[in-house]
Amino acid sequence: GAGVSQSPSNKVTEKGKDVELRCDPISGHTALYWYRQSLGQGLEFLIYFQGNSAPDKSGLPSDRFSAERTGGSVSTLTIQRTQQEDSAVYLCASRGVASQANYGYTFGSGTRLTVV
Amino acid sequence: ELKVEQNPLFLSMQEGKNYTIYCNYSTTSDRLYWYRQDPGKSLESLFVLLSNGAVKQEGRLMASLDTKARLSTLHITAAVHDLSATYFCAGGTIRGAQKLVFGQGTRLTINP
C-alpha cells in the first residue's frame, strides 16, 4: 500500500486479556519497527525486524510482549495478560533501503490501547 | 548508548515570531531526523540530516546539524498557527538495528 497501515486504530481491553496489534508496512520495505508512545514517556523502541534476520527484541518491556513478522511483511505485536501500564499508543514504522536518498522511516497512524 | 535531549519541552509563542528548538545527542549519530506530530496523529517526517553542516529548509522550518557539537536545531521563522504541533528529533545509526532514539518532544503552541 501507499503507507504503513495499522489496525485496530483503537482498542479497549480489560486487564488480564491478551491483545494483538497489526502492522502492514509499505510494500518492499524490509525493515519494520514497533514503538510505544506513552503519556509522559516519549517514544520507546520495542522491537525491530530486518528481512529474515533474527529480530532485535531488546526494547520489549517484559515477556508478556512478543511480536512476529510473517513472510517478511505483516507484523503482529501481542501483549499477553495486559496491565494498565500497557496503555499507550503503539506505532509501527517501516524503512526502505539505504540507497534511498532520504532513508526515511514511515510511521503508521498507531493503535491506541487502553487497558481498563 | 545514544541519548537524545530536546529543549525546550514546551514553547508558546505568538504568530510572526522566530524561535529555535534544540536537539542534543550523546554519542555519534549517523543521521538526525525531525518529525512533526499533531494531536492524535502519527509522526510526519520533516527532515533527514545526513552530515555535518547539513541544512534543510521547508517553508518556515529550517533544520541544521552540527555533528561536532552533537547538536541539531529546528528554526521556525515568522511562525503561523498551523505550525502548532509537537516536534520530535531522533538520532539514528546506519549500523546494527538502525533504530531511532527519540528526544522527549517539544510541544509548540502558536497563538494568533
Side-chain angles (χ1 to χ4, degrees), chain A residues 33 35 37 43 45 48 56 58 91 95 102-103 105 107-109, chain B residues 31 33 35 37 40 42-43 48 50 88 96-100 102:
Chain A
Y33 300 78
Y35 284 83
Q37 187 173 25
L43 280 140
F45 166 78
Y48 157 66
D56 177 346
S58 60
L91 291 165
R95 174 175 55 77
N102 64 359
Y103 198 54
Y105 298 71
F107 283 82
S109 54
Chain B
R31 289 178 170 86
Y33 298 79
Y35 287 89
Q37 187 177 39
S42 190
L43 296 166
V48 182
L50 303 179
F88 290 92
Q98 302 169 35
K99 62 192 179 192
L100 295 177
F102 284 86

Side-chain angles (χ1 to χ4, degrees), chain A residues 5-28:
Chain A
S5 177
Q6 290 188 248
S7 62
S9 55
N10 281 285
K11 177 73 176 178
V12 179
T13 190
E14 291 181 352
K15 179 180 170 182
K17 300 282 190 186
D18 298 352
V19 294
E20 286 189 350
L21 313 180
R22 176 187 167 105
C23 172
D24 198 345
I26 291 174
S27 179

Side-chain angles (χ1 to χ4, degrees), chain A residues 25-46:
Chain A
I26 291 174
S27 179
H29 278 194
T30 57
L32 185 149
Y33 300 78
W34 284 96
Y35 284 83
R36 178 168 71 174
Q37 187 173 25
S38 308
L39 194 61
Q41 296 295 320
L43 280 140
E44 175 189 13
F45 166 78
L46 296 177

Side-chain angles (χ1 to χ4, degrees), chain A residues 76-95:
Chain A
T76 303
L77 177 68
T78 302
I79 309 172
Q80 295 179 309
R81 305 181 303 282
T82 52
Q83 303 294 314
Q84 287 186 328
E85 61 262 29
D86 299 334
S87 296
V89 176
Y90 289 82
L91 291 165
C92 176
S94 68
R95 174 175 55 77

Side-chain angles (χ1 to χ4, degrees), chain B residues 65-87:
Chain B
L65 178 63
D66 180 343
T67 58
K68 293 179 181 176
R70 294 180 183 162
L71 170 69
S72 180
T73 61
L74 180 67
H75 187 72
I76 303 146
T77 302
V80 292
H81 179 67
D82 286 353
L83 291 178
S84 297
T86 299
Y87 292 85

